[in-house]
Amino acid sequence: MAAAAVSELGGLGTPDPDGGGSSGSEDEAQPGAAAAAVAAAQKREERLRKFRELHMKRNEARKLNHQEVVEEDKRLKLPPNWEAKKARLEWELKVEEKKRECAARGEDYERVKLLEISAEDAERWERKKKRKNPDLGFSDYAAAQLRQYQRLTRQIKPDLEEYEKLKEQYGEALYPTSDSLLHGTHVPTKEGVDRMVADLEKQIEKREKYSRRRPYNDDADIDYINERNAKFNKKAERFYGKYTAEIKQNLERGTAV
């Protein structure tokens, strides 16, 4: 019994002179645990900071989206030509301000404006002014008739020699007034009549080229009941004619099965 008790006491080890046991290993583990806790806290703080930044960015994006939606709604409610009107009004305000500045300095605005125009812009504007008969498209029949009249009158080349002869022949009577009797007094020359006939034939030829009427073929087979059905048959023949050619020939010969 005494030997067993001694062996148990020996297994416990000698006491630590500083106060003993396993306290040394525990003290070594405390600094590592504290460092791990500090690192975890720093990591958590970093994550919270990033989360707050993302939250602020989301709020900012939401605010900007709302502002853009409001601006888009305002733009949609404006008239379709609002941008052009706005640019026009801004230009007019700049012109008025420029005129006031020139008037205050005692200068002519038109002269100042011409001095600010470059040679390239001036040449471009001159070319635009010299452009003859610009095609503005169809607006109404009166405008189309006026354009046709202007085009025909520009083609007329006056004969100055004939004009001088007529002036010597008729004198002041060549220039009619409200009291002049014009009916039956003018006899056109043969050259003038030929020129008019040639011009009319040229107009007729040009009009025929612009006509959209398709010529009618009298020799073609009549396989339709009206104009709409004829157009449908042409369309069907264009897409499926090569597949149904044999069937159509058998039907015409009477040998279809």
Side-chain angles (χ1 to χ4, degrees):
M1 293 290 293
V6 171
S7 64
E8 289 178 0
L9 291 174
L12 295 175
T14 59
D16 189 1
D18 296 333
S22 61
S23 61
S25 60
E26 292 178 358
D27 292 339
E28 293 176 356
Q30 287 179 357
V38 170
Q42 291 179 352
K43 190 173 182 180
R44 182 174 178 275
E45 185 64 26
E46 181 69 19
R47 289 180 177 177
L48 290 175
R49 184 181 63 80
K50 290 183 178 180
F51 178 76
R52 285 193 295 271
E53 290 179 356
L54 292 174
H55 186 70
M56 293 175 63
K57 289 182 179 179
R58 186 188 65 176
N59 291 338
E60 184 179 1
R62 183 184 300 168
K63 183 179 178 181
L64 293 175
N65 288 337
H66 179 69
Q67 292 177 357
E68 185 64 26
V69 169
V70 173
E71 293 296 330
E72 184 178 2
D73 183 65
K74 290 181 180 179
R75 290 194 299 268
L76 292 176
K77 290 180 180 179
L78 291 173
N81 57 345
W82 167 250
E83 294 295 334
K85 287 184 177 179
K86 182 180 178 182
R88 178 71 181 181
L89 292 174
E90 291 177 353
W91 177 79
E92 289 179 355
L93 290 175
K94 290 181 180 179
V95 170
E96 291 297 330
E97 185 179 358
K98 190 71 174 177
K99 287 182 178 180
R100 287 195 296 268
E101 293 177 357
C102 293
R105 294 194 301 266
E107 298 175 348
D108 186 8
Y109 170 73
E110 296 296 333
R111 182 178 177 82
V112 174
K113 183 178 71 172
L114 292 175
L115 289 175
E116 293 178 354
I117 296 175
S118 63
E120 295 179 356
D121 293 339
E123 290 179 359
R124 185 174 67 252
W125 290 340
E126 287 298 327
R127 288 195 301 268
K128 188 176 181 180
K129 287 181 180 179
K130 292 180 180 179
R131 187 184 305 167
K132 296 181 179 180
N133 193 22
D135 189 2
L136 302 178
F138 178 81
S139 58
D140 53 15
Y141 289 101
Q145 185 179 9
L146 177 61
R147 288 186 56 205
Q148 175 72 359
Y149 171 77
Q150 293 174 349
R151 185 183 65 81
L152 294 176
T153 52
R154 278 196 300 268
Q155 294 178 0
I156 297 176
K157 297 179 181 179
D159 190 353
L160 298 180
E161 295 181 359
E162 184 68 22
Y163 173 73
E164 293 294 337
K165 292 179 181 179
L166 291 175
K167 188 163 63 171
E168 292 177 359
Q169 180 179 356
Y170 295 101
E172 294 297 331
L174 184 64
Y175 308 100
T177 62
S178 58
D179 299 329
S180 300
L181 183 61
L182 301 178
H183 180 70
T185 59
H186 176 70
V187 179
T189 61
K190 185 177 182 303
E191 292 78 7
V193 174
D194 294 340
R195 185 168 60 251
M196 183 190 67
V197 172
D199 185 71
L200 289 175
E201 290 178 353
K202 187 185 298 183
Q203 292 183 41
I204 294 172
E205 183 180 359
K206 187 175 182 181
R207 196 178 298 116
E208 289 178 353
K209 291 181 180 179
Y210 287 154
S211 177
R212 296 183 59 85
R213 183 180 295 277
R214 301 297 184 265
Y216 178 75
N217 187 7
D218 295 331
D219 298 332
D221 295 334
I222 299 177
D223 56 353
Y224 54 87
I225 58 176
N226 51 34
E227 190 69 21
R228 184 176 180 182
N229 181 243
K231 293 180 180 179
F232 176 80
N233 292 342
K234 289 180 180 179
K235 187 181 295 185
E237 180 68 21
R238 185 166 62 251
F239 287 102
Y240 305 105
K242 59 181 180 180
Y243 305 109
T244 60
E246 186 177 355
I247 299 174
K248 188 174 181 181
Q249 292 175 2
N250 293 336
L251 289 172
E252 291 176 353
R253 290 194 300 266
T255 58
V257 178

